[in-house]
Amino acid sequence: MQKNHILKRLMAVSVAAAMFGAVGAQAQTSQPAGASGTAASADSAAKLTAADRKAIMDMGMSNMAEVEMGKLAQSKSQNAEVKAFAQKMVDDHGKALTEVQTLAQSKGVTLPTELDAKHKAMADRLGKLSGDSFDKTYVKQGGVGAHKETLTKLQAASKGAKDPDVKGQVDKMLPVVQEHLKHAEQLAQGKSGSTGSSGAAGHTGSSH
C-alpha cells in the first residue's frame, strides 16, 4: 500500500516536471519572435543596394539643405519674389523630407541630422550676405545650382533604383525639383513672370 502511494507521488512529480519543461521550451521558442521586428528592420536594410541607400541619403540631405536655406532667405531677404520662392522651398522640401524620413526608417537607414560640410559652407556664406547680394547668391546657389545637382542625382537614382519604394519616392520628387529649378532660373534672369511661376510650383508641390 505504501509502495503504491510512493509510486503515485513519483508519477505526479514526473508529470509536473514534464509540464514545466514544455512551458520552458515554449517560452524559449517564443522569445526570439519578440525580437523579430528589429531583425526584420536590419534585414530590409541589408537588402538595399548601395545605390538605393545613397539615394535615400542624398534625398534627405538635399531636402534638409533646401529647408535650412529657405528659412534663412525668409528672414534675410527683402525681395517679395525671393521670399515667396524661399517659402515654397520650406514647404515643399519640408514635406518631402518627412516622407524620406519615413522611408528611411522603414528601410533601416539612419539619415544625418545636420548638414554636411558642403551645405554648411553654403549656408555660412549666405549668412554673411545681405540685401541684393544675398538674394542673387541664394537664387544662384540654393535655387539654380542646388536644384540642378539634385535633379541630376534624382534622374540617376530613378534609372538605377532596385527597391520599388525608393524609386517611388525618387519619381515623386523629380517633377517638384524640375519646377523649382525652372522657377529659380526665371528669378535669376530677373523675368517679371517669375511670380506666376510660383503659382505653377505651388500646383506641382500640392499634387505630390
Side-chain angles (χ1 to χ4, degrees):
M1 187 109 177
Q2 195 173 356
K3 267 188 180 180
N4 287 342
H5 184 64
I6 293 170
L7 281 171
K8 279 182 183 178
R9 285 185 64 184
L10 284 172
M11 284 177 69
V13 171
S14 298
V15 170
M19 284 177 66
F20 280 119
V23 171
Q26 192 175 13
Q28 280 186 338
T29 53
S30 64
Q31 209 168 5
S36 63
T38 308
S41 176
D43 188 47
S44 64
K47 285 179 183 175
L48 282 181
T49 64
D52 284 347
R53 188 185 298 275
K54 184 178 184 300
I56 293 175
M57 299 290 278
D58 284 346
M59 285 190 289
M61 183 57 68
S62 63
N63 281 314
M64 186 163 54
E66 286 296 343
V67 170
E68 290 300 316
M69 287 188 289
K71 286 178 179 177
L72 189 62
Q74 277 281 294
S75 65
K76 290 180 75 77
S77 179
Q78 300 301 314
N79 183 300
E81 289 186 346
V82 172
K83 284 176 81 74
F85 176 77
Q87 185 61 57
K88 193 71 198 152
M89 298 308 100
V90 173
D91 293 344
D92 287 358
H93 287 285
K95 182 180 178 182
L97 178 58
T98 300
E99 291 173 352
V100 173
Q101 287 170 336
T102 302
L103 172 66
Q105 189 174 12
S106 72
K107 301 297 178 183
V109 175
T110 303
L111 290 175
T113 54
E114 58 180 39
L115 298 179
D116 57 17
K118 175 184 168 184
H119 289 95
K120 267 184 184 174
M122 193 184 295
D124 288 344
R125 185 184 173 195
L126 284 171
K128 293 172 185 174
L129 301 174
S130 59
D132 191 49
S133 179
F134 172 86
D135 291 339
K136 285 181 178 177
T137 305
Y138 169 63
V139 170
K140 183 180 178 183
Q141 291 190 356
V144 179
H147 282 89
K148 274 185 177 178
E149 183 181 337
T150 299
L151 185 59
T152 300
K153 288 182 178 179
L154 287 174
Q155 288 170 335
S158 180
K159 289 177 183 176
K162 302 298 182 189
D163 185 280
D165 296 327
V166 174
K167 181 172 171 55
Q169 185 60 43
V170 167
D171 290 345
K172 200 173 185 180
M173 275 187 65
L174 269 168
V176 181
V177 172
Q178 286 171 329
E179 189 58 51
H180 288 174
L181 176 58
K182 181 181 175 184
H183 187 181
E185 286 174 337
Q186 289 177 330
L187 276 178
Q189 291 164 11
K191 288 185 178 179
S192 57
S194 58
T195 307
S197 165
S198 177
H203 177 71
T204 305
S206 61
S207 66
H208 88 295

